Amino acid sequence: MAEPLEGTFSAEHSARLLRNYRYVVERTMRALGGWIALTPELSAKLLMGRHVWDLAQQCDAFGQRLPELRSRAHVSEAANPAVATFMDSLEDAEEPDQTVERLVGVYGVLKPHLLATYRDHLARANPVYEPPTRRILARCIDDEERHIAAGETILQYLAAGPRPTERVSARRRHLEGLLAAAGGVTGDGLATRDALDVARRQTDLSDDAQEFIRLEKATGTWPVPDDLEEAQRSFAAALVAGDAAALARWLAPGLELEATAWSSLRGARYSRHLTVAFARLGHQRLLKTRLEGPSSSATVLARWTSSPEGWRIAALDVAGRDAVRPA
């Protein structure tokens, strides 16, 4: 007959597991917080913002539990170097057009693994002398179920179409391979992932992914004045065509084309343009345009000001450039 005080984990082993959990949760929290500014899609921004707070609470709970297990408080520890490599790879999706890569890494690979790991730990944690750890794990399980359900909904919305689906599959295979090579976040092997029917889970209002999507769709039509929209369209077409004379006519008096970011764009081949952001700054308007070509892309930020002759550009900068990834 099993003794009620017998348990799977010693205090030292439990502390090590909590340090391992805290390591990946802390890094995920920081990654999500940093990605918010890089992510253009509103639905994904809201998703990440909601979950950063939950992860901060998890980190704090793990950290406060450690002294009770005769370990230093608030210490994070990678189980092995391969776990650090996995997290490095998960965090490397830092380009504005890599939102689906960010989401599949966190919500399609890491969090389902954490959920299975927490469930396995909870099932084996002794109910007599480990109630504090069990309560923390139960809270984390609840968080991860909500996070996965919301994350998968946003991912399916943003990854519609064959090319995004291929990117999701490639990213998932890559990260799952690294995670398996690390032996999971604890280094002890991958916990069995039962059929996790979390996609249909009733979520709290704060995690209502469908509401995030509705908010994103509601802001799909930007309040760009008609005359500015026409000027922006003509200006962007001149950028794609590489027509310096046409570009110069949109510059405000006193601004020379050679003194702008045009010098870094000249010579590149672009085939299409897309307005990706609009903002009001006092009497001026900021418009961000993405230029896409066969071998490279660029994001251009123009500050427009109204004049007696119509809208003119007071400042022109390149916000980012990158090479197009092979399909």
Side-chain angles (χ1 to χ4, degrees):
M1 178 177 178
E3 292 294 330
L5 293 182
E6 287 182 352
T8 305
F9 308 112
S10 65
E12 180 181 356
H13 186 68
S14 292
R16 195 265 294 177
L17 292 178
L18 265 57
R19 291 195 300 270
N20 295 163
Y21 299 156
R22 193 175 190 276
Y23 174 80
V24 295
V25 170
E26 183 178 26
R27 287 195 60 171
T28 305
M29 173 191 70
R30 295 181 185 277
L32 290 178
W35 288 340
I36 291 172
L38 301 175
T39 301
E41 297 86 355
L42 179 61
S43 57
K45 280 182 182 289
L46 293 172
L47 179 80
M48 295 174 187
R50 291 283 194 264
H51 295 168
V52 165
W53 187 87
D54 287 335
L55 297 183
Q57 296 298 303
Q58 291 181 20
C59 281
D60 194 51
F62 289 139
Q64 291 186 35
R65 174 63 174 149
L66 286 172
E68 300 167 352
L69 297 170
R70 301 192 293 276
S71 180
R72 286 196 300 130
H74 299 292
V75 173
S76 300
E77 177 187 3
N80 54 54
V83 173
T85 298
F86 165 75
M87 291 303 301
D88 289 342
S89 186
L90 182 141
E91 293 174 6
D92 70 9
E94 294 185 337
E95 296 300 326
D97 60 352
Q98 288 186 291
T99 301
V100 296
E101 282 82 0
R102 291 191 275 274
L103 294 182
V104 73
V106 173
Y107 297 97
V109 177
L110 176 58
K111 283 184 174 292
H113 167 65
L114 284 175
L115 177 57
T117 302
Y118 293 153
R119 284 176 170 173
D120 179 69
H121 188 164
L122 180 62
R124 294 191 289 152
N126 190 288
V128 175
Y129 64 82
E130 292 191 281
T133 298
R134 290 173 60 86
R135 284 195 295 270
I136 294 171
L137 291 171
R139 185 262 169 86
C140 291
I141 288 169
D142 181 70
D143 284 347
E144 298 308 338
E145 287 177 344
R146 289 188 295 104
H147 292 187
I148 294 168
E152 288 292 343
T153 300
I154 300 296
L155 181 59
Q156 290 172 16
Y157 165 67
L158 295 179
R163 287 195 63 183
T165 300
E166 292 171 6
R167 288 164 52 197
V168 167
S169 298
R171 180 71 169 172
R172 192 188 302 271
R173 286 194 302 270
H174 172 65
L175 291 176
E176 285 180 342
L178 292 177
L179 185 60
V185 299
T186 65
D188 296 331
L190 299 179
T192 302
R193 286 174 57 175
D194 299 326
L196 304 178
D197 187 17
V198 296
R200 297 186 181 88
R201 188 182 190 277
Q202 182 66 39
T203 58
D204 294 339
L205 179 61
S206 63
D207 268 342
D208 188 351
Q210 294 296 342
E211 179 64 18
F212 296 164
I213 293 171
R214 284 192 292 271
L215 287 170
E216 179 173 310
K217 289 180 176 179
T219 59
T221 301
W222 297 321
V224 182
D226 291 342
D227 54 347
L228 176 56
E229 185 175 13
E230 183 178 349
Q232 163 69 10
R233 189 181 304 114
S234 178
F235 165 72
L239 283 174
V240 170
D243 189 340
L247 290 170
R249 70 175 292 267
W250 292 110
L251 301 184
L255 181 62
E256 298 295 331
L257 188 60
E258 293 302 320
T260 70
W262 167 244
S263 58
S264 66
L265 296 171
R266 184 193 291 112
R269 292 178 54 208
Y270 300 112
S271 55
R272 64 188 294 263
H273 61 82
L274 177 68
T275 300
V276 295
F278 169 71
R280 179 174 179 173
L281 185 63
H283 296 296
Q284 297 183 332
R285 304 293 185 270
L286 301 179
L287 276 161
K288 186 179 289 186
T289 304
R290 183 166 179 81
L291 305 174
E292 296 182 348
S295 60
S296 65
S297 63
T299 302
V300 178
L301 180 63
R303 178 156 51 88
W304 292 82
T305 185
S306 182
S307 72
E309 293 76 28
W311 290 98
R312 292 294 184 268
I313 294 173
L316 180 65
D317 296 294
V318 174
R321 300 187 67 174
D322 55 84
V324 172
R325 296 175 181 80

